[in-house]
């Protein structure tokens, strides 16, 4: 059973920084794309950033230039460095991974971690 475990959320003042981590646990799989999505109060879930297994990145327009996604393939872990945080970044942040086993391709989501940015 593959699980994604997120950490690093919390409360921060506007202009501050936070670093989120998401580690995939289990065995018998490899990981293609990994990414972060978020869902703010009363909003739909939206893309924050994705990163391929080779390191190619893609960012949502609202976070470009402020957030950086990275990954450590040896640790099956993806990171999101968030800087210059704004109150509108307040959301539950979800990790996602596209996984490959011998028999199937599937997507897995983490449980979410709350990020709250105070003004």
């Amino acid at each position: 059973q593959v699980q994604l475990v997120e950490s690093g959320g919390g409360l921060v003042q506007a202009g501050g920084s936070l670093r989120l981590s998401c580690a995939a646990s289990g065995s018998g799989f490899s990981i293609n794309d990994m990414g972060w999505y978020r869902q703010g109060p009363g909003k739909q879930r939206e893309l924050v950033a994705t990163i391929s297994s080779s390191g190619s990145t893609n960012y949502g327009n609202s976070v470009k230039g402020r957030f950086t996604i990275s990954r450590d393939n040896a640790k099956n872990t993806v990171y999101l460095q968030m800087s210059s945080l704004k109150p509108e970044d307040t959301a539950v942040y979800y990790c996602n991974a596209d996984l490959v086993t011998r028999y199937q391709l599937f997507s897995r989501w983490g449980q979410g971690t709350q990020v709250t940015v105070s003004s």
Side-chain angles (χ1 to χ4, degrees):
Q1 182 75 4
V2 181
Q3 287 188 320
L4 300 182
V5 179
E6 298 138 338
S7 61
L11 174 65
V12 64
Q13 288 188 332
S17 299
L18 277 177
R19 189 193 196 208
L20 305 183
S21 300
C22 171
S25 64
S27 62
F29 65 92
S30 59
I31 306 176
N32 289 339
D33 290 357
M34 301 186 81
W36 291 94
Y37 295 75
R38 68 186 184 186
Q39 187 164 14
K43 298 181 181 179
Q44 291 186 329
R45 190 172 296 190
E46 64 174 354
L47 167 73
V48 176
T50 61
I51 184 168
S52 71
S53 56
S54 62
S56 296
T57 59
N58 180 49
Y59 293 92
N61 288 333
S62 61
V63 306
K64 285 180 181 178
R66 299 187 298 121
F67 291 9
T68 301
I69 189 170
S70 61
R71 65 190 283 175
D72 184 332
N73 291 331
K75 295 181 179 180
N76 289 333
T77 299
V78 63
Y79 306 97
L80 184 69
Q81 179 66 47
M82 304 184 292
S83 302
S84 301
L85 282 160
K86 305 175 182 179
E88 50 263 44
D89 294 317
T90 295
V92 178
Y93 284 70
Y94 296 93
C95 173
N96 176 264
D98 291 332
L99 303 167
V100 183
T101 68
R102 184 176 180 179
Y103 302 106
Q104 60 179 329
L105 307 173
F106 60 101
S107 182
R108 185 76 76 195
W109 291 90
Q111 79 285 358
T113 185
Q114 177 70 47
V115 172
T116 301
V117 184
S118 63
S119 57

